[in-house]
Amino acid sequence: MLSCATPPTTQLGDFLQLIWTFLSLSLFSLGGGNTLLAEYHHISVEQFCWLTDSQFSDIYALAEAAPGPSSMIVGLLGMGAAWKEGPWMALVSAYAAELAILVPSTLLMVVACLSWKRLEHSPWRVAFERGLGPITLGILFVVGFKILNTANHGVPGYLVSIVVCFLMLRTRLSPLWFMGVAGLLGGLGIINR
C-alpha cells in the first residue's frame, strides 16, 4: 500500500484533480460502473487518501444497497474527497465527480448507438461484441476479489462470503436474502471488522 503523504494543494487544485481523475476514468468502464471499482479504491484509499479501507467498504455497500446505478459510488467518493472542506463543498464535489464520470461515457454511447445499427452485419462489430464479454468478466472477477479483500477481515467474514458465492451460483434465491442474513450476522456481532 502506498503512503498517504500527498503534497498539499489548494482547495481549487483538489477540486480540479477530483474532476480530472473521474473524467479520465469515464471511458474505461466496460461492463458498467463496478468494473472500475479496483481503480476507485486505489485512487481514493491509496493515492489521494480520501478514505480508509473501512470507509470505502461502507461507501461501496451503501452505493450497492441504494436504488439507482452502480456509478453512485463516484458521487460518494467525491463527497468523501471534499468532506474536510465542509458539507457544501462535499456536495459540490459529489455532483462534480458524478458528472465527470457520467457525461463523457454517456455522450460516447449516444454517438455509438446512433451508428451501431449501420454496422449490424459488419465482422468488426461481431468481433468487438464477442471480445468484450471475456474482458468484462475478467474485470468483474478482479473487482469481486478486491471487495472481498477490502471488506472481510476475519475468518467468519470470509466463510460467509464463500457460502454466499456458492449459494448465489447454485440457487435462485434473491440476493436480498443474503444481504439480510449478513446484516443480521453483523448486527449480532458474529461478523465484524
Side-chain angles (χ1 to χ4, degrees):
M1 185 187 224
L2 299 174
S3 170
C4 282
T6 55
T9 58
T10 64
Q11 185 176 354
L12 178 62
D14 289 343
F15 184 70
L16 293 176
Q17 179 66 49
L18 173 96
I19 292 171
W20 175 248
T21 297
F22 290 113
L23 272 174
S24 63
L25 289 174
S26 178
L27 302 178
F28 292 101
S29 59
L30 299 172
N34 279 338
T35 57
L36 289 174
L37 205 57
E39 186 62 19
Y40 293 158
H41 179 270
H42 169 73
I43 288 167
S44 63
V45 175
E46 298 169 1
Q47 184 176 356
F48 294 116
C49 308
W50 297 332
L51 305 167
T52 64
D53 257 341
S54 178
Q55 290 170 326
F56 184 86
S57 295
D58 292 343
I59 283 177
Y60 174 72
L62 180 63
E64 287 300 309
S70 60
S71 64
M72 279 181 45
I73 191 170
V74 173
L76 295 172
L77 293 175
M79 185 177 280
W83 192 255
K84 64 184 178 292
E85 305 296 334
W88 290 110
M89 190 60 192
L91 283 174
V92 169
S93 291
Y95 281 108
E98 200 67 50
L99 286 170
I101 201 76
L102 290 177
V103 170
S105 57
T106 301
L107 293 175
L108 178 66
M109 289 312 300
V110 167
V111 170
C113 286
L114 292 175
S115 60
W116 203 244
K117 184 70 175 158
R118 284 186 295 157
L119 302 171
E120 186 174 12
H121 300 293
S122 168
W124 289 101
R125 175 180 168 171
V126 173
F128 183 76
E129 288 175 349
R130 287 184 182 162
L132 281 181
I135 291 170
T136 302
L137 287 176
I139 292 170
L140 288 174
F141 177 77
V142 169
V143 165
F145 191 71
K146 182 69 168 181
I147 288 299
L148 182 69
N149 285 332
T150 301
N152 294 326
H153 296 289
V155 174
Y158 284 107
L159 287 176
V160 168
S161 293
I162 291 168
V163 168
V164 167
C165 285
F166 177 79
L167 291 174
M168 286 291 296
L169 293 171
R170 296 290 183 190
T171 69
R172 294 182 156 259
L173 291 172
S174 169
L176 295 175
W177 286 106
F178 300 119
M179 291 169 58
V181 170
L184 180 65
L185 291 173
L188 295 174
I190 297 170
I191 300 173
N192 55 29
R193 305 190 247 163

